[in-house]
Amino acid sequence: MSLIVQKFGGSSVKDTDRIMNVARIVMETSQKGNDVVVVVSAQGDTTDDLIAKAAEITDNPSRREMDALMSTGEQISASLLSIAIKSLGGKAISLTGWQAGFVTDSNHRNSRIRRIDKERLENELDKKNIVIVTGFQGINRYDDITTLGRGGSDTSAVAIAAALKAEKCQIYTDVDGVYTADPRIVKAARKLPEISYDEMLELATLGAQVLHNRSVEMAKRYNIRMEVLSSLENKPGTIVKEVAKMEKMLIKGVAKDDKISRITLVGVPDTPGIAFKIFSLLASVKINVDIILQATGSNGAKDIIFTLKEGDESIAMQILSDIKESAGFTEAVLDTNISKVSIVGAGIQSNAGVASKMFEALADANINIHMISSSEIKISVFIDKDLSTKAVSAVHSAFEDDLKS
Ligand code: ADP
Ligand code: ASP
Ligand code: MG
């Protein structure tokens, strides 16, 4: 008998009708003779609402308590879905992250899965239950509840698929697959029948919210076939796997990330060890910096510019203000009006024309580029935040022909 893992996101379980719809999809999969493990997200905007409730009390809530709070959203969905499946005559049981054996590290709000103790999952499957697991959560070695970072239910699903050696991991969402750009922004975006792990990982990391980037990383490591499909329309979605069908497509997609900020350190002394001092301190409080640029200034000083995730600014600025004197720079300037727009495709590196075509599209749309970074399979530009939607459309339409298979 084969095992299928099915994950349903927040919009797919947002109300009673949608829960019943999911119950029917899951029952159908089970009635075809498959073992089924279901992973659910919190209903609709529940996670945002819970975060907002804590924000009404303080700007700086305890990370441990935030995990205890946020994990409740998924518990509501899991128990409701189990009730729904039973009401249709199915056999089901809901499990929280810890009941399902998810053990993570202690990095609250962004924990990584260390292992899954799978006995309970296997026992429940042996009893012919449809097993419904809360996404996005686990416990650490102190038995405290942890969460895996926003969008982390995708990663919970792939982790179960890897642990139980599932045939595939289906990610049901509110769009019917992975598109060449967010279909809510770019009407001309095209659905991709297939995409490689590497390209999907870049797209997800660069802001295409449709999959949590760590879920793709894990699917690649354990060679799990992922499918992205709609919970509302019964049609083929997008398959994420090792090598996508060879086609002439040079570019796979365009993505944007509005949730970033930029910090400029002005007048950093041009002596060895300063960059090390600054970035090791930021790393010690788990602040990930994205791109780092260094520009030569005058009088033996230089400027260092770097980008970081939205939400990390206040702690980063605090650290920088603490070390300003000992590190010897003049000031740290925060800019939150910045976005990153990227194109992704395995063929980018070997094609010299791609970068200039992207820059031309932005120039024609009168969008100023502040910084550029590129790698083997992506080119990213940093621009003003209020222009990011326009930029995605402009770049997508410049590559219209390349984005057709
Ligand atoms: P879920 O709640 O099911 O996890 P998400 O909101 O996390 O759903 O992800 C689905 C959303 O991702 C879509 O509604 C879409 O707006 C957005 N998205 C961004 N980029 C893409 C893309 N390239 N292809 C498909 N969807 C995308
Ligand atoms: N409910 C969590 C979130 O909104 C996890 C998820 O949906 O994947 O981020
Ligand atoms: Mg999601």
Side-chain angles (χ1 to χ4, degrees):
M1 182 150 24
S2 59
L3 170 76
I4 298 181
V5 176
Q6 300 186 311
K7 179 259 172 179
F8 295 87
S11 53
S12 303
V13 293
K14 73 172 184 193
D15 55 27
T16 306
D17 283 351
R18 294 278 172 97
I19 295 252
M20 293 311 295
N21 173 57
V22 168
R24 282 186 288 269
I25 296 175
V26 172
M27 288 281 280
E28 205 177 296
T29 313
S30 157
Q31 278 157 0
K32 282 183 186 151
N34 301 294
D35 281 340
V36 191
V37 177
V38 183
V39 173
V40 283
S41 291
Q43 293 185 284
D45 296 329
T46 302
T47 310
D48 290 327
D49 295 345
L50 291 169
I51 293 171
K53 274 187 205 286
E56 281 173 23
I57 302 172
T58 167
D59 288 344
N60 194 15
S62 140
R63 297 171 79 82
R64 178 195 181 277
E65 301 307 336
M66 284 308 291
D67 279 352
L69 176 66
M70 288 190 288
S71 65
T72 61
E74 271 68 15
Q75 289 191 43
I76 295 173
S77 311
S79 45
L80 286 176
L81 180 59
S82 183
I83 291 168
I85 292 172
K86 288 174 203 258
S87 80
L88 295 177
K91 220 173 158 269
I93 185 166
S94 71
L95 299 176
T96 63
W98 70 264
Q99 288 175 313
F102 276 79
V103 180
T104 74
D105 65 22
S106 290
N107 186 17
H108 284 290
R109 298 195 76 163
N110 200 22
S111 298
R112 282 187 172 260
I113 300 167
R114 286 241 166 96
R115 61 171 201 277
I116 297 182
D117 296 331
K118 55 188 183 181
E119 292 76 11
R120 180 75 189 267
L121 284 170
E122 285 175 340
N123 286 343
E124 298 301 344
L125 288 169
D126 285 346
K127 290 185 212 154
K128 296 290 156 223
N129 273 313
I130 293 173
V131 186
I132 302 153
V133 180
T134 52
F136 175 57
Q137 57 177 269
I139 52 164
N140 64 14
R141 61 191 166 117
Y142 310 108
D143 288 349
D144 284 332
I145 296 172
T146 54
T147 63
L148 308 181
R150 297 304 307 271
S153 296
D154 299 331
T155 301
S156 309
V158 175
I160 292 177
L164 299 180
K165 301 197 168 39
E167 180 195 323
K168 61 184 167 185
C169 181
Q170 297 180 309
I171 307 288
Y172 283 90
T173 183
D174 59 355
V175 283
D176 62 357
V178 178
Y179 280 70
T180 51
D182 186 340
R184 295 186 201 288
I185 299 180
V186 180
K187 290 290 161 247
R190 193 175 67 82
K191 185 161 92 183
L192 297 162
E194 301 185 345
I195 186 166
S196 70
Y197 291 126
D198 288 335
E199 289 168 322
M200 190 62 237
L201 181 57
E202 282 292 343
L203 274 181
T205 305
L206 294 168
Q209 182 199 348
V210 60
L211 287 178
H212 192 226
N213 62 350
R214 272 159 45 200
S215 73
V216 186
E217 201 174 75
M218 194 179 295
K220 178 179 157 79
R221 181 161 359 121
Y222 295 98
N223 201 19
I224 306 292
R225 180 189 167 99
M226 289 177 94
E227 276 175 34
V228 178
L229 61 181
S230 164
S231 61
L232 297 172
E233 287 172 286
N234 185 7
K235 55 182 179 186
T238 298
I239 295 168
V240 189
K241 57 181 197 166
E242 186 56 56
V243 183
K245 196 173 65 207
M246 290 302 251
E247 45 184 23
K248 76 169 177 60
M249 278 175 79
L250 187 62
I251 311 294
K252 272 291 159 62
V254 184
K256 77 174 168 90
D257 189 352
D258 292 333
K259 296 192 170 145
I260 60 168
S261 292
R262 172 171 69 165
I263 292 177
T264 305
L265 301 176
V266 183
V268 184
D270 204 3
T271 47
I274 299 286
F276 168 67
K277 179 168 187 169
I278 295 167
F279 290 106
S280 58
L281 268 173
L282 292 173
S284 71
V285 291
K286 299 233 161 30
I287 291 182
N288 284 326
V289 300
D290 185 9
I291 71 153
I292 305 174
L293 288 183
Q294 183 172 301
T296 34
S298 49
N299 305 328
K302 59 197 177 188
D303 290 350
I304 295 181
I305 306 164
F306 61 93
T307 58
L308 66 171
K309 266 200 342 236
E310 187 182 271
D312 284 347
E313 304 89 349
S314 60
I315 174 153
M317 289 300 277
Q318 182 59 52
I319 285 177
L320 292 168
S321 120
D322 292 347
I323 58 163
K324 188 173 139 188
E325 241 142 68
S326 62
F329 57 85
T330 324
E331 59 175 332
V333 183
L334 173 67
D335 178 5
T336 53
N337 180 28
I338 191 146
S339 285
K340 176 162 72 169
V341 172
S342 312
I343 52 173
V344 171
I348 285 179
Q349 190 182 36
S350 52
N351 193 309
V354 174
S356 67
K357 194 166 178 175
M358 181 181 190
F359 304 154
E360 183 185 9
L362 293 165
D364 288 348
N366 212 6
I367 295 169
N368 191 28
I369 301 171
H370 302 306
M371 299 189 283
I372 300 168
S373 100
S374 67
S375 75
E376 279 166 39
I377 68 167
K378 65 136 205 259
I379 301 172
S380 301
V381 297
F382 295 78
I383 58 166
D384 286 348
K385 193 168 282 180
D386 43 357
L387 297 176
S388 68
T389 301
K390 184 176 169 194
V392 170
S393 298
V395 172
H396 191 275
S397 81
F399 287 98
E400 198 91 67
D401 289 339
D402 305 278
L403 288 162
K404 288 191 192 112
S405 52

mmCIF file of all heavy atoms in Angstrom, residues 7 16 45 53 75 81 90-91 96 113 122 138 162 171 184 203 228 240 254 259-260 283-284 291 319 404:
data_model
loop_
_atom_site.group_PDB
_atom_site.id
_atom_site.type_symbol
_atom_site.label_atom_id
_atom_site.label_comp_id
_atom_site.label_asym_id
_atom_site.label_seq_id
_atom_site.Cartn_x
_atom_site.Cartn_y
_atom_site.Cartn_z
ATOM 1 N N LYS A 7 -0.957 18.217 2.196
ATOM 2 C CA LYS A 7 -0.930 19.399 3.059
ATOM 3 C C LYS A 7 -1.928 20.430 2.552
ATOM 4 O O LYS A 7 -2.002 20.693 1.347
ATOM 5 C CB LYS A 7 0.490 19.978 3.093
ATOM 6 C CG LYS A 7 0.623 21.230 3.957
ATOM 7 C CD LYS A 7 0.643 22.490 3.135
ATOM 8 C CE LYS A 7 0.580 23.753 3.969
ATOM 9 N NZ LYS A 7 0.625 24.979 3.155
ATOM 10 N N THR A 16 -15.975 26.292 7.554
ATOM 11 C CA THR A 16 -16.545 24.940 7.612
ATOM 12 C C THR A 16 -16.689 24.309 6.224
ATOM 13 O O THR A 16 -16.375 23.130 6.031
ATOM 14 C CB THR A 16 -17.925 24.986 8.324
ATOM 15 O OG1 THR A 16 -17.723 25.618 9.582
ATOM 16 C CG2 THR A 16 -18.497 23.610 8.530
ATOM 17 N N ASP A 45 -6.549 33.715 8.218
ATOM 18 C CA ASP A 45 -5.535 34.622 8.762
ATOM 19 C C ASP A 45 -5.271 34.406 10.250
ATOM 20 O O ASP A 45 -4.766 35.301 10.941
ATOM 21 C CB ASP A 45 -5.998 36.081 8.584
ATOM 22 C CG ASP A 45 -6.127 36.443 7.116
ATOM 23 O OD1 ASP A 45 -5.356 35.889 6.304
ATOM 24 O OD2 ASP A 45 -7.007 37.273 6.783
ATOM 25 N N LYS A 53 -2.672 39.970 18.287
ATOM 26 C CA LYS A 53 -3.141 40.017 19.683
ATOM 27 C C LYS A 53 -1.969 40.250 20.636
ATOM 28 O O LYS A 53 -2.061 41.032 21.583
ATOM 29 C CB LYS A 53 -3.818 38.699 20.064
ATOM 30 C CG LYS A 53 -5.284 38.619 19.706
ATOM 31 C CD LYS A 53 -5.843 37.311 20.302
ATOM 32 C CE LYS A 53 -7.048 36.823 19.539
ATOM 33 N NZ LYS A 53 -8.238 37.611 19.794
ATOM 34 N N GLN A 75 -3.859 23.662 15.712
ATOM 35 C CA GLN A 75 -4.619 22.662 16.491
ATOM 36 C C GLN A 75 -6.104 22.749 16.193
ATOM 37 O O GLN A 75 -6.806 21.734 16.163
ATOM 38 C CB GLN A 75 -4.398 22.867 17.990
ATOM 39 C CG GLN A 75 -3.005 22.472 18.427
ATOM 40 C CD GLN A 75 -2.900 22.431 19.942
ATOM 41 O OE1 GLN A 75 -3.784 21.937 20.627
ATOM 42 N NE2 GLN A 75 -1.816 22.956 20.455
ATOM 43 N N LEU A 81 -10.783 19.128 11.232
ATOM 44 C CA LEU A 81 -10.741 18.238 10.070
ATOM 45 C C LEU A 81 -10.993 16.789 10.488
ATOM 46 O O LEU A 81 -11.696 16.044 9.792
ATOM 47 C CB LEU A 81 -9.393 18.365 9.336
ATOM 48 C CG LEU A 81 -9.254 17.476 8.099
ATOM 49 C CD1 LEU A 81 -10.338 17.783 7.055
ATOM 50 C CD2 LEU A 81 -7.869 17.627 7.467
ATOM 51 N N GLY A 90 -15.413 8.376 7.944
ATOM 52 C CA GLY A 90 -14.011 7.950 7.873
ATOM 53 C C GLY A 90 -13.427 7.724 9.254
ATOM 54 O O GLY A 90 -14.044 8.034 10.271
ATOM 55 N N LYS A 91 -12.209 7.170 9.264
ATOM 56 C CA LYS A 91 -11.521 6.912 10.530
ATOM 57 C C LYS A 91 -10.338 7.873 10.586
ATOM 58 O O LYS A 91 -9.483 7.849 9.696
ATOM 59 C CB LYS A 91 -11.022 5.462 10.508
ATOM 60 C CG LYS A 91 -11.184 4.751 11.821
ATOM 61 C CD LYS A 91 -10.839 3.275 11.666
ATOM 62 C CE LYS A 91 -10.475 2.687 13.020
ATOM 63 N NZ LYS A 91 -9.227 2.642 13.522
ATOM 64 N N THR A 96 -0.986 16.737 17.531
ATOM 65 C CA THR A 96 -0.196 17.973 17.538
ATOM 66 C C THR A 96 1.226 17.647 17.076
ATOM 67 O O THR A 96 1.589 16.471 16.927
ATOM 68 C CB THR A 96 -0.094 18.545 18.961
ATOM 69 O OG1 THR A 96 0.604 17.577 19.757
ATOM 70 C CG2 THR A 96 -1.459 18.822 19.559
ATOM 71 N N ILE A 113 13.726 21.286 12.103
ATOM 72 C CA ILE A 113 13.372 19.940 12.554
ATOM 73 C C ILE A 113 14.654 19.135 12.718
ATOM 74 O O ILE A 113 15.477 19.074 11.802
ATOM 75 C CB ILE A 113 12.441 19.261 11.525
ATOM 76 C CG1 ILE A 113 11.155 20.084 11.347
ATOM 77 C CG2 ILE A 113 12.120 17.821 11.945
ATOM 78 C CD1 ILE A 113 10.326 19.673 10.142
ATOM 79 N N GLU A 122 3.233 5.857 12.845
ATOM 80 C CA GLU A 122 3.117 4.507 12.269
ATOM 81 C C GLU A 122 2.024 3.685 12.960
ATOM 82 O O GLU A 122 1.268 2.966 12.291
ATOM 83 C CB GLU A 122 4.473 3.794 12.361
ATOM 84 C CG GLU A 122 5.447 4.348 11.321
ATOM 85 C CD GLU A 122 6.859 3.776 11.438
ATOM 86 O OE1 GLU A 122 7.205 3.246 12.517
ATOM 87 O OE2 GLU A 122 7.601 3.881 10.459
ATOM 88 N N GLY A 138 6.643 21.891 16.508
ATOM 89 C CA GLY A 138 7.257 20.725 17.127
ATOM 90 C C GLY A 138 7.550 21.057 18.574
ATOM 91 O O GLY A 138 6.995 22.023 19.105
ATOM 92 N N ALA A 162 9.315 12.385 4.116
ATOM 93 C CA ALA A 162 10.671 11.813 4.139
ATOM 94 C C ALA A 162 10.770 10.727 5.215
ATOM 95 O O ALA A 162 11.284 9.629 4.960
ATOM 96 C CB ALA A 162 11.697 12.918 4.390
ATOM 97 N N ILE A 171 0.949 19.410 -2.012
ATOM 98 C CA ILE A 171 0.724 20.676 -1.319
ATOM 99 C C ILE A 171 -0.493 21.339 -1.959
ATOM 100 O O ILE A 171 -0.421 21.860 -3.078
ATOM 101 C CB ILE A 171 1.958 21.614 -1.455
ATOM 102 C CG1 ILE A 171 3.251 20.902 -1.010
ATOM 103 C CG2 ILE A 171 1.712 22.924 -0.692
ATOM 104 C CD1 ILE A 171 3.386 20.687 0.481
ATOM 105 N N ARG A 184 -1.388 36.434 -8.889
ATOM 106 C CA ARG A 184 -2.212 37.540 -8.390
ATOM 107 C C ARG A 184 -1.653 38.899 -8.801
ATOM 108 O O ARG A 184 -2.351 39.904 -8.734
ATOM 109 C CB ARG A 184 -2.305 37.492 -6.866
ATOM 110 C CG ARG A 184 -3.021 36.256 -6.403
ATOM 111 C CD ARG A 184 -3.245 36.259 -4.911
ATOM 112 N NE ARG A 184 -3.469 34.889 -4.476
ATOM 113 C CZ ARG A 184 -4.567 34.205 -4.730
ATOM 114 N NH1 ARG A 184 -5.575 34.759 -5.367
ATOM 115 N NH2 ARG A 184 -4.671 32.944 -4.339
ATOM 116 N N LEU A 203 13.265 30.286 -6.308
ATOM 117 C CA LEU A 203 12.029 31.086 -6.362
ATOM 118 C C LEU A 203 11.440 31.271 -4.964
ATOM 119 O O LEU A 203 11.062 32.376 -4.585
ATOM 120 C CB LEU A 203 10.983 30.398 -7.252
ATOM 121 C CG LEU A 203 11.021 30.665 -8.752
ATOM 122 C CD1 LEU A 203 9.884 29.902 -9.433
ATOM 123 C CD2 LEU A 203 10.891 32.161 -9.053
ATOM 124 N N VAL A 228 2.250 20.727 -6.356
ATOM 125 C CA VAL A 228 1.519 21.897 -5.866
ATOM 126 C C VAL A 228 0.208 21.942 -6.633
ATOM 127 O O VAL A 228 0.226 21.941 -7.874
ATOM 128 C CB VAL A 228 2.318 23.195 -6.124
ATOM 129 C CG1 VAL A 228 1.527 24.408 -5.652
ATOM 130 C CG2 VAL A 228 3.671 23.135 -5.414
ATOM 131 N N VAL A 240 7.333 19.210 -8.597
ATOM 132 C CA VAL A 240 8.681 19.657 -8.246
ATOM 133 C C VAL A 240 9.524 18.401 -8.075
ATOM 134 O O VAL A 240 9.193 17.541 -7.243
ATOM 135 C CB VAL A 240 8.692 20.472 -6.933
ATOM 136 C CG1 VAL A 240 10.051 21.112 -6.717
ATOM 137 C CG2 VAL A 240 7.593 21.531 -6.934
ATOM 138 N N VAL A 254 9.742 34.897 -12.136
ATOM 139 C CA VAL A 254 10.086 36.191 -11.564
ATOM 140 C C VAL A 254 9.475 36.218 -10.156
ATOM 141 O O VAL A 254 8.334 35.804 -9.982
ATOM 142 C CB VAL A 254 9.472 37.335 -12.402
ATOM 143 C CG1 VAL A 254 9.903 38.693 -11.866
ATOM 144 C CG2 VAL A 254 9.846 37.186 -13.874
ATOM 145 N N LYS A 259 9.625 41.950 1.986
ATOM 146 C CA LYS A 259 9.849 41.898 3.440
ATOM 147 C C LYS A 259 11.327 41.977 3.772
ATOM 148 O O LYS A 259 11.879 41.081 4.428
ATOM 149 C CB LYS A 259 9.218 40.633 3.995
ATOM 150 C CG LYS A 259 7.711 40.652 3.807
ATOM 151 C CD LYS A 259 7.030 39.573 4.576
ATOM 152 C CE LYS A 259 5.536 39.801 4.528
ATOM 153 N NZ LYS A 259 4.761 38.616 4.490
ATOM 154 N N ILE A 260 11.978 43.005 3.277
ATOM 155 C CA ILE A 260 13.399 43.190 3.574
ATOM 156 C C ILE A 260 13.669 44.649 3.930
ATOM 157 O O ILE A 260 12.828 45.524 3.690
ATOM 158 C CB ILE A 260 14.296 42.791 2.372
ATOM 159 C CG1 ILE A 260 13.990 43.641 1.127
ATOM 160 C CG2 ILE A 260 14.159 41.320 2.044
ATOM 161 C CD1 ILE A 260 15.025 43.491 0.033
ATOM 162 N N ALA A 283 25.353 37.711 13.516
ATOM 163 C CA ALA A 283 25.098 36.267 13.391
ATOM 164 C C ALA A 283 24.819 35.655 14.756
ATOM 165 O O ALA A 283 24.007 34.734 14.877
ATOM 166 C CB ALA A 283 26.290 35.575 12.730
ATOM 167 N N SER A 284 25.459 36.175 15.793
ATOM 168 C CA SER A 284 25.296 35.571 17.114
ATOM 169 C C SER A 284 23.861 35.723 17.627
ATOM 170 O O SER A 284 23.414 34.958 18.463
ATOM 171 C CB SER A 284 26.291 36.154 18.112
ATOM 172 O OG SER A 284 25.928 37.495 18.407
ATOM 173 N N ILE A 291 22.519 40.325 0.985
ATOM 174 C CA ILE A 291 23.716 40.750 0.258
ATOM 175 C C ILE A 291 24.472 41.810 1.047
ATOM 176 O O ILE A 291 23.908 42.586 1.801
ATOM 177 C CB ILE A 291 23.428 41.223 -1.181
ATOM 178 C CG1 ILE A 291 22.714 42.544 -1.194
ATOM 179 C CG2 ILE A 291 22.714 40.198 -1.981
ATOM 180 C CD1 ILE A 291 23.040 43.247 -2.498
ATOM 181 N N ILE A 319 22.180 46.526 18.153
ATOM 182 C CA ILE A 319 23.554 46.000 18.221
ATOM 183 C C ILE A 319 24.529 46.989 17.594
ATOM 184 O O ILE A 319 25.603 47.278 18.136
ATOM 185 C CB ILE A 319 23.621 44.643 17.480
ATOM 186 C CG1 ILE A 319 22.956 43.579 18.343
ATOM 187 C CG2 ILE A 319 25.059 44.253 17.158
ATOM 188 C CD1 ILE A 319 22.885 42.238 17.701
ATOM 189 N N LYS A 404 7.726 31.070 -22.171
ATOM 190 C CA LYS A 404 6.856 30.060 -22.802
ATOM 191 C C LYS A 404 7.707 28.847 -23.100
ATOM 192 O O LYS A 404 8.848 28.987 -23.511
ATOM 193 C CB LYS A 404 6.290 30.614 -24.108
ATOM 194 C CG LYS A 404 5.246 31.664 -23.894
ATOM 195 C CD LYS A 404 4.536 31.965 -25.213
ATOM 196 C CE LYS A 404 3.692 33.199 -25.083
ATOM 197 N NZ LYS A 404 4.189 34.328 -25.874
#
